[in-house]
Amino acid sequence: MKKKTSETVIIEGRYYTIAAANGRVLEVANYNPDSGAAIQLWDYAGAQWQQWQFILVGPDTYRICNRFTGKAIDLCLCGTVDGTWLHQWEPNTGKSQQWKLETTDDGFVRFRSVVADKYLDLYQAFSGNGARAQIWSDNDGTNQRWTLKDVTDKQSIRPSEAQMEKKLKAQVEEAAKETQKAAKKERKASTAKKTSKKTSEKTKKTAKTTASEKTAKKAAEEK
């Protein structure tokens, strides 16, 4: 089934790259299969995590799913304000995963979030490798203009088993580091609390002693 949006023809079941003006494409960062993985810009390497399928959900409205992970481009925490990050999430019927495709007079495509009424955009208009995808109000800038290219029949790269094992190991190590950081922070907070309590008790004791001494001195003077 073909769906035409002005000059752009989307064929369901096909896979496309979504390229910025400089040729870099949107991808799932670090070919991460987990929900919550960032959507970013990177040099095209023919990889499946850089390829997207458009699933029609309404007139000129699509859910955009990654070829490698199967997850959809989604608004982080269903945010609707300027600067809301884009990440991937399990496909669902929510409007935070629905995008209107619009074409410009000079042949580019723009993606407008159905729920936020804002456009797929690059953070601070940065277009280098690692640039984070976000939504932003319409500014007619080049960072809101994209080119689609059908790459279904091209040879595509998948991560090797060794790469996936390495990534999993890195994720486990990162999780362990975060746990250690949290534990260290908790210990530090606990130590600070104990120190504060001891200081407070010492201050109260000193104040009490001083008050007693003053009382005794006053009583002596009165005699």
Side-chain angles (χ1 to χ4, degrees):
M1 176 180 178
K2 293 185 178 181
K3 181 67 183 179
K4 186 173 182 180
T5 306
S6 186
E7 298 177 359
T8 302
V9 176
I10 297 295
I11 304 175
E12 291 190 68
R14 307 287 290 181
Y15 294 96
Y16 299 81
T17 53
I18 304 174
N22 63 3
R24 292 190 174 95
V25 301
L26 290 182
E27 68 167 18
V28 174
N30 301 314
Y31 52 87
N32 190 341
D34 298 333
S35 289
I39 305 300
Q40 67 178 16
L41 205 66
W42 206 269
D43 291 325
Y44 185 56
Q48 290 190 1
W49 55 91
Q50 299 177 319
Q51 301 172 4
W52 305 89
Q53 182 180 34
F54 292 80
I55 300 172
L56 190 67
V57 296
D60 295 335
T61 306
Y62 297 85
R63 185 181 305 114
I64 308 172
C65 295
N66 189 261
R67 184 173 190 174
F68 174 63
T69 68
K71 292 183 169 64
I73 295 179
D74 183 274
L75 300 176
C76 185
L77 299 175
C78 297
T80 58
V81 300
D82 283 344
T84 296
W85 293 126
L86 299 184
H87 63 185
Q88 69 171 4
W89 206 262
E90 290 289 347
N92 57 54
T93 58
K95 290 185 177 181
S96 64
Q97 294 185 357
Q98 295 181 13
W99 301 87
K100 285 274 188 183
L101 267 66
E102 303 174 355
T103 53
T104 64
D105 292 336
D106 49 356
F108 291 96
V109 177
R110 303 207 302 163
F111 300 92
R112 178 166 56 86
S113 167
V114 170
V115 67
D117 197 31
K118 290 180 171 63
Y119 289 85
L120 195 160
D121 181 283
L122 294 172
Y123 177 64
Q124 294 188 341
F126 177 59
S127 58
N129 283 334
R132 283 292 301 268
Q134 63 176 11
I135 55 170
W136 201 267
S137 299
D138 181 10
N139 60 23
D140 201 31
T142 57
N143 56 309
Q144 295 184 350
R145 298 182 178 214
W146 307 88
T147 301
L148 303 183
K149 182 179 179 181
D150 188 334
V151 292
T152 308
D153 300 323
K154 305 280 186 183
Q155 184 175 5
S156 57
I157 299 170
R158 288 178 61 87
S160 66
E161 290 297 326
Q163 285 177 308
M164 292 302 291
E165 287 179 7
K166 183 178 180 180
K167 178 168 182 55
L168 179 60
K169 182 179 178 181
Q171 288 177 326
V172 170
E173 289 176 349
E174 184 63 27
K177 286 180 182 178
E178 290 300 320
T179 301
Q180 289 175 357
K181 284 182 182 178
K184 186 177 181 180
K185 187 176 180 181
E186 188 176 343
R187 287 197 299 270
K188 189 174 180 180
S190 179
T191 301
K193 187 176 180 181
K194 288 179 181 178
T195 301
S196 177
K197 185 178 179 181
K198 286 180 179 179
T199 301
S200 178
E201 290 175 348
K202 185 177 181 180
T203 301
K204 287 180 180 179
K205 186 177 181 180
T206 301
K208 188 177 180 180
T209 301
T210 302
S212 297
E213 290 174 347
K214 286 183 178 179
T215 301
K217 184 179 180 180
K218 186 176 181 181
E221 290 175 348
E222 289 177 349
K223 287 181 180 180

